[in-house]
Amino acid sequence: TTAIASKIMLYFRSKQKNDFKSLFHRKMFAYKDNLFTGARKLLMNRMYQQNGLRATLEKIGFSGILETSRFVLHTLKDYYINGSNDNRKYQIFNELSKANFVGYEFVLPTILDSLIILTDKNNDADWKKCLLKVCHEKLGDPRLPLNQTRWNGTEGVSQKAQKIYLKWLANNDLTLFFKIIDETATDRMWRYRDKFWRAYLDYIVNTKVFFGVDAQRIARQVAKDELLNYGLLDYGSESNHSAFLFEIGKFAFCEWSHNGKLYIWRRDEAPVHFYDYKTNKSKMSRSICVESFIHSSANTYSWQKKVADWLAKNCGIRKSRFDWELK
């Protein structure tokens, strides 16, 4: 076998156009500084920024089997950690998403980490929508138990990016909850509640929306592909009702539609959890809560002041009427 291999190699070397090994070596020599020096990461970052992914791999002779080599995977990761040029990072992400790239899953958490932080900084609504969908499909829901997602671990997404992503989810859930109230309820307080909780959005985590049967149908029509995760309100709950569950500090909160109450529990004592698929109103109303508030007297902002005072005292978050008053 060794003898036959030598004969075949000699045959191809004698024909310049078929000398694949020689061609590969020439490219390796031309880009030796990219591959074999201490500055290789900086140089590869520059090439990715200037050329994108596919063109860079072709330039250095890595298209084909070597495009998923450890070298490519590690330099890609480094580019997303240290490289600049926001638009090129988005473009390379699109290239990876559309190509059958074997190493994609290996670099994905690092790529998403970088793009979440960039997108939040740029406040890009279209990319925010795209990343919400991709992260949900590829990494799972960060509000679920750790063993059911890819958000944590040595190759997971950073705490900074997770916090941003949870804020996006909270904003989506809050917006969706009040959209559905607008469609299904005669709640004259919903605009005031929406404005009030948006003032605390930076502190809200681990959100989830529960819908009755009719509210679910409307939610699918209103939210379309934005509806990533929701729960069901089962027996004992009106079909057009909705509930918005969220956490601030050590407490769990639930806003109920149709002029419903605001319920507050200690986080570990809440009767419903974010990984629950369904709940009902009796489970909420019959539980022992820390505090509850009735939404009334919207024009005098009396309930807002009471809740704001409670949040200042128990969660250390101070907001004034200036933050949550409807203009």
Side-chain angles (χ1 to χ4, degrees):
T1 305
T2 304
I4 293 171
S6 298
K7 290 286 185 182
I8 292 171
M9 290 295 292
L10 284 170
Y11 174 81
F12 280 115
R13 281 178 186 167
S14 68
K15 302 181 183 303
Q16 183 63 34
K17 66 176 183 178
N18 292 327
D19 192 358
F20 305 117
K21 190 171 182 180
S22 179
L23 177 65
F24 175 71
H25 284 161
R26 285 199 299 274
K27 288 213 173 191
M28 290 298 94
F29 182 78
Y31 288 96
K32 63 184 183 299
D33 290 340
N34 294 52
L35 304 173
F36 306 116
T37 70
R40 67 188 181 280
K41 288 183 178 179
L42 182 62
L43 290 166
M44 285 300 292
N45 281 351
R46 192 177 301 155
M47 291 194 73
Y48 286 135
Q49 287 173 14
Q50 292 172 353
N51 306 298
L53 175 65
R54 190 60 56 193
T56 294
L57 298 182
E58 289 173 0
K59 267 183 174 290
I60 65 173
F62 268 50
S63 52
I65 193 169
L66 286 175
E67 69 183 21
T68 57
S69 65
R70 279 178 169 270
F71 176 81
V72 173
L73 296 178
H74 283 286
T75 54
L76 258 181
K77 285 185 72 173
D78 185 74
Y79 171 62
Y80 274 92
I81 293 170
N82 299 309
S84 56
N85 194 330
D86 300 5
N87 290 332
R88 184 65 78 181
K89 285 187 173 182
Y90 289 126
Q91 181 186 324
I92 289 177
F93 173 70
N94 278 331
E95 286 187 75
L96 288 167
S97 301
K98 294 171 184 174
N100 185 21
F101 190 75
V102 178
Y104 179 53
E105 296 297 325
F106 174 76
V107 295
L108 184 62
T110 301
I111 291 173
L112 292 176
D113 183 277
S114 176
L115 294 184
I116 288 170
I117 293 170
L118 279 177
T119 300
D120 194 61
K121 174 187 168 187
N122 298 336
N123 196 26
D124 189 317
D126 290 337
W127 269 100
K128 199 177 289 185
K129 182 178 177 180
C130 171
L131 290 171
L132 277 165
K133 186 175 182 182
V134 171
C135 289
H136 185 75
E137 291 173 354
K138 298 292 186 179
L139 302 181
D141 191 330
R143 298 165 294 189
L144 294 175
L146 298 183
N147 61 350
Q148 297 181 32
T149 75
R150 288 187 62 198
W151 282 91
N152 297 280
T154 54
E155 297 297 332
V157 181
S158 70
Q159 289 295 317
K160 179 179 180 181
Q162 285 189 53
K163 187 175 180 181
I164 292 169
Y165 187 78
L166 285 169
K167 185 176 73 174
W168 292 354
L169 287 176
N171 182 59
N172 263 26
D173 285 350
L174 182 67
T175 300
L176 182 60
F177 175 69
F178 287 110
K179 270 185 182 178
I180 304 309
I181 289 181
D182 193 28
E183 294 280 340
T184 61
T186 55
D187 188 348
R188 64 191 181 89
M189 300 296 176
W190 74 265
R191 292 183 304 119
Y192 295 90
R193 288 199 273 173
D194 186 11
K195 177 68 174 177
F196 180 82
W197 289 117
R198 287 192 184 281
Y200 293 89
L201 193 57
D202 286 343
Y203 305 94
I204 292 176
V205 295
N206 289 339
T207 57
K208 186 162 187 177
V209 187
F210 292 86
F211 297 116
V213 176
D214 291 340
Q216 273 189 37
R217 176 178 47 80
I218 295 170
R220 293 191 193 99
Q221 294 170 355
V222 171
K224 297 177 182 175
D225 56 341
E226 296 175 29
L227 187 59
L228 298 175
N229 190 18
Y230 62 92
L232 172 68
L233 291 177
D234 59 3
Y235 61 90
S237 304
E238 297 293 332
S239 63
N240 61 344
H241 280 202
S242 310
F244 176 48
L245 182 69
F246 58 98
E247 285 181 0
I248 297 178
K250 297 178 180 179
F251 298 93
F253 299 73
C254 182
E255 278 280 13
W256 201 273
S257 65
H258 292 69
N259 287 324
K261 283 184 177 181
L262 165 66
Y263 299 95
I264 306 174
W265 307 272
R266 295 196 182 279
R267 188 172 55 201
D268 298 335
E269 299 172 0
V272 60
H273 305 92
F274 301 97
Y275 49 80
D276 288 346
Y277 173 66
K278 58 186 178 181
T279 188
N280 57 72
K281 191 164 187 178
S282 62
K283 188 181 284 187
M284 305 274 189
S285 59
R286 293 176 183 175
S287 66
I288 300 174
C289 56
V290 173
E291 190 63 83
S292 63
F293 294 91
I294 297 173
H295 304 94
S296 59
S297 304
N299 294 331
T300 63
Y301 293 96
S302 61
W303 70 262
Q304 290 96 322
K305 186 176 185 311
K306 291 176 183 176
V307 178
D309 289 344
W310 190 94
L311 287 164
K313 179 180 178 181
N314 294 277
C315 301
I317 305 169
R318 302 190 182 280
K319 297 285 181 178
S320 67
R321 182 165 173 161
F322 175 81
D323 299 302
W324 34 256
E325 183 176 0
L326 280 177
K327 301 296 188 288

